[in-house]
Amino acid sequence: MLTPKRHKLISEVIQKQQLVTIQELVALTGASESTIRRDLSELEKQHLLVRIHGGATLKQSKSQELSYPEKSRQHIDSKKRIAYYASALIEENDCIYLDAGTTTYEMIPFLVDRNITVVTNGLTHVELLSQLNIKTYLLGGFVKNTTRALIGQGAQASLLQYRLDKCFLGVNGIHSDYAYTTPDPEEAIIKKTALKIAQNGFVVADASKLNQISFAKIDDLQAATIIINKPTEASLDLFEKKTNVKVVTEE
């Protein structure tokens, strides 16, 4: 099958299914895995899809958002390294906030046997925190099914009852002009509130979030320290002029 025809077929499948695996595309096109991976890289450059672990998903608009399971498959190795680095910043007796992101979720295994208190709005998070016997407080509020986050006035009111040493947030976009953004304005309010009440705020994000913009602004760049893996294409210079940036090595 010629490359243009294969690209057209891949685009059509992703438009129809939203999410497709490399194995599905291999079976559909008869091409090798390496060829499909090259195809996905080229289509991603054309902004027609977003590559994830083991496949690809449809590129979302600024107001759309992937589900928690879809996000959890993206950039797994980078997220684990970022999570390990971020967890090392937590000190004994700290009260911390972990918001309902997939990178913050990866921090949880590194918190075992630590004398800390966790506040979270992540339903997925609280399940694992409980299993690992980590002292946890869960916010109230409205359940957002796509991200399994608790948001809304109830969640904000719950969060305002606490005073935090550190908060760790996931975001959908980090931009030198538009700062930290996420698709949902209500979720943005919860994240901003956490930054406001915490003594130290951290945004944990893999490099794919750089220069991306979502619908709702969370806060200015200087409101948090960015913990990120080293980007392969984008530059961090503009961000380092406006806030602290901690780059996690690939080792």
Side-chain angles (χ1 to χ4, degrees):
M1 186 183 294
L2 295 176
T3 299
K5 184 177 180 180
R6 201 169 56 247
H7 284 187
K8 183 174 183 293
L9 184 58
I10 292 171
S11 296
E12 289 173 348
V13 170
I14 290 181
Q15 286 286 340
K16 182 178 180 180
Q17 297 182 191
Q18 308 290 310
L19 177 69
V20 66
T21 67
I22 289 174
Q23 293 305 319
E24 286 175 321
L25 294 175
V26 166
L28 182 66
T29 63
S32 66
E33 282 194 26
S34 59
T35 297
I36 293 299
R37 291 181 192 279
R38 286 195 296 272
D39 288 340
L40 295 181
S41 293
E42 180 59 34
L43 291 170
E44 185 175 46
K45 290 177 183 177
Q46 298 174 30
H47 306 290
L48 297 175
L49 55 79
V50 177
R51 292 186 65 186
I52 62 174
H53 183 69
T57 188
L58 185 66
K59 186 175 177 63
Q60 306 293 305
S61 73
K62 288 180 175 60
S63 61
Q64 291 178 308
E65 187 164 19
L66 297 178
S67 68
Y68 191 96
E70 289 170 326
K71 286 182 179 182
S72 66
R73 293 191 233 171
Q74 295 181 322
H75 313 289
I76 296 173
D77 291 338
S78 296
K79 289 178 179 179
K80 288 183 182 295
R81 285 191 291 270
I82 292 165
Y84 177 78
Y85 183 99
S87 65
L89 301 176
I90 300 169
E91 301 173 282
E92 288 296 296
N93 300 310
D94 268 354
C95 297
I96 69 167
Y97 179 76
L98 296 181
D99 94 323
T102 52
T103 305
T104 52
Y105 179 86
E106 296 294 343
M107 292 176 62
I108 298 173
F110 302 117
L111 305 180
V112 176
D113 297 327
R114 305 279 294 275
N115 185 27
I116 62 172
T117 299
V118 175
V119 179
T120 185
N121 71 329
L123 291 178
T124 303
H125 291 27
V126 79
E127 293 167 4
L128 182 56
L129 287 161
S130 178
Q131 290 173 18
L132 298 178
N133 296 313
I134 298 170
K135 185 179 179 181
T136 303
Y137 289 86
L138 178 65
L139 301 186
F142 173 77
V143 177
K144 182 180 176 183
N145 291 326
T146 51
T147 59
R148 302 207 70 198
L150 290 156
I151 60 173
Q153 292 182 351
Q156 186 182 24
S158 295
L159 185 51
L160 287 170
Q161 302 306 306
Y162 305 110
R163 290 297 175 264
L164 307 166
D165 295 297
K166 300 176 178 75
C167 75
F168 298 88
L169 308 179
V171 300
N172 292 71
I174 304 174
H175 193 276
S176 59
D177 294 323
Y178 299 100
Y180 308 117
T181 54
T182 194
D184 188 333
E186 288 197 75
E187 199 154 5
I189 290 171
I190 301 302
K191 293 175 189 285
K192 183 178 179 69
T193 301
L195 285 172
K196 179 181 178 180
I197 65 175
Q199 292 186 32
N200 296 284
F202 300 90
V203 164
V204 290
D206 64 83
S208 70
K209 308 297 173 55
L210 281 179
N211 301 315
Q212 300 299 308
I213 305 168
S214 284
F215 179 63
K217 181 177 178 179
I218 299 166
D219 213 326
D220 297 327
L221 284 177
Q222 59 266 33
T225 294
I226 300 171
I227 303 176
I228 194 167
N229 60 304
K230 186 175 181 179
T232 55
E233 298 180 5
S235 170
L236 290 169
D237 291 349
L238 289 175
F239 302 95
E240 291 174 330
K241 290 178 181 179
K242 295 185 176 182
T243 193
N244 294 323
V245 179
K246 304 296 184 183
V247 179
V248 179
T249 63
E250 299 296 317
E251 300 176 359

